[in-house]
Amino acid sequence: MDTLGSTAHISPTQLLALSQFVTFVEEPEVLSDNYVSKLQEFVQKRHLDMPQFTMESLNVPVAGKYRPRWRCICSLPWSGEKFPEPGEGAIGLFVNSKEAKQFAAMKAFAHVAGHPTQDVSAASFTSSVTGPSVYVVMTQPADTSQSDMAKIMHWITR
């Protein structure tokens, strides 16, 4: 039976086992400046509304266990833009919330200041699995919310 291109249904246990061999989410590099301060200074000098930072914690399969990871979205009230931008490639999940906030601020500052940061999306997020695309459908583990599962699946399949 040829299953190429078909959807694979796996259990949470199988997903955890798979996470021992495949890295679903890698932590992107954050350049060494304090981008939260840089962004705030930039905004204050122009008398704009301060950026808003929204933190989000997710349970992500890492090395056979669900582990908490942080993501931050930086919203610019005067433009309605959010960073990191959807589809940018860089997921921005971090072990600690401070790095997540710095990453979001770095992306926002690069945009508003017109200085692109290094491209962390292409090199850092290429899958370690080559070959045909992998489609995964999984059931919800008891300790992971439905929205966490949807976000994990969205990020894995990008």
Side-chain angles (χ1 to χ4, degrees):
M1 177 174 155
D2 183 14
T3 59
L4 185 61
S6 64
T7 302
H9 296 271
I10 65 172
S11 70
T13 304
Q14 292 169 321
L15 178 65
L16 289 176
L18 185 59
S19 75
Q20 292 185 12
F21 303 103
V22 177
T23 301
F24 294 123
V25 180
E26 291 183 16
E27 196 168 298
E29 182 180 351
V30 178
L31 303 177
S32 62
D33 280 328
N34 183 343
Y35 285 96
V36 173
S37 293
K38 283 186 166 195
L39 180 60
Q40 289 172 341
E41 288 173 19
F42 182 91
V43 167
Q44 286 172 343
K45 286 180 182 177
R46 287 156 182 79
H47 305 287
L48 299 169
D49 291 335
M50 293 301 284
Q52 303 296 311
F53 294 93
T54 305
M55 298 302 297
E56 181 176 35
S57 176
L58 299 169
N59 288 319
V60 177
V62 177
K65 296 182 180 180
Y66 282 98
R67 301 186 191 269
R69 294 293 184 262
W70 290 94
R71 178 171 190 223
C72 182
I73 301 296
C74 177
S75 302
L76 305 178
W78 70 90
S79 69
E81 295 173 291
K82 295 182 180 189
F83 297 91
E85 295 177 273
E88 188 177 342
I91 298 168
L93 289 178
F94 294 85
V95 172
N96 70 59
S97 60
K98 181 180 176 185
E99 289 293 310
K101 187 174 183 178
Q102 285 295 327
F103 180 74
M106 179 181 78
K107 292 296 190 177
F109 181 74
H111 176 76
V112 298
H115 301 113
T117 59
Q118 69 183 25
D119 183 9
V120 295
S121 59
S124 300
F125 292 94
T126 54
S127 174
S128 57
V129 177
T130 58
S133 296
V134 177
Y135 296 95
V136 179
V137 175
M138 60 186 159
T139 56
Q140 177 181 342
D143 62 344
T144 303
S145 73
Q146 186 65 36
S147 64
D148 281 359
M149 293 303 293
K151 291 171 188 169
I152 292 166
M153 289 310 302
H154 174 74
W155 292 327
I156 290 171
T157 59
R158 285 165 87 173

